[in-house]
Amino acid sequence: MVDTNEAVGPAGLSAAIRLKQLSAEAGTELSVVVLEKGSEVGAHILSGAVIDPIGLDKLLPGWRDEDTPIKTPVTDDRFLFLGESGGIRLPNFLMPRLMSNHGNFVVSLGNVCRWLAEKAEGLGVEIYPGFAAAEILYDDAGAVVGVATGDMGIGREGQHKDSYTPGMELRGKYVLFAEGVRGSLSKMAIA
């Protein structure tokens, strides 16, 4: 089970895809579930990014021959030293190799996540948008065994509205938190 309390991003979706790939290679049927806080995958993700395609080349080797949202290669890097009166361009050879983006792509991360979600669902990953994990479930020994979604249909004063639906428990042999940098459940599990 891949779980997120924030927006599911490329790392969580890639993990879900890889789990299904490994399951298929082993000849087993592994159920992989992704919870997405937003109304759809990509709805709460950063808009733009520069990505290195090396991970995609390994995860989905044929992706370059498909119609993907990864189309705009980086053609130029410019670095400026900014001061009060403007900017001075720094020569690229002075920058660390890490700052070279040649071979990378400029993308809409939301579109990349939607595309990865389609790939994941094609492999049998179950994605549930509109459900945020609200609580970590532990067994008697203190091991993480799942998550519970939050109750829905609760008014501002805490009263149940007509649309009230209690949260659900989702249990799994493995639970992966792919919440990003501000993941509240990950912080709770680490603590």
Side-chain angles (χ1 to χ4, degrees), residues 53-77:
I54 192 168
L56 277 177
D57 290 336
K58 292 184 181 207
L59 183 68
L60 301 167
W63 76 269
R64 292 177 189 260
D65 299 326
E66 300 176 17
D67 183 26
T68 72
I70 306 163
K71 299 178 185 203
T72 309
V74 173
T75 58
D76 190 26
D77 289 317

Side-chain angles (χ1 to χ4, degrees), residues 52-119:
D52 182 340
I54 192 168
L56 277 177
D57 290 336
K58 292 184 181 207
L59 183 68
L60 301 167
W63 76 269
R64 292 177 189 260
D65 299 326
E66 300 176 17
D67 183 26
T68 72
I70 306 163
K71 299 178 185 203
T72 309
V74 173
T75 58
D76 190 26
D77 289 317
R78 292 185 187 190
F79 301 97
L80 302 173
F81 177 78
L82 301 176
E84 290 180 21
S85 60
I88 300 170
R89 184 168 180 189
L90 300 173
N92 287 9
F93 73 86
L94 292 177
M95 303 309 292
R97 184 158 171 69
L98 174 66
M99 301 298 282
S100 175
N101 287 299
H102 292 279
N104 296 343
F105 291 85
V106 178
V107 298
S108 160
L109 213 47
N111 289 341
V112 170
C113 287
R114 282 185 274 282
W115 174 72
L116 285 171
E118 289 175 14
K119 291 292 189 183

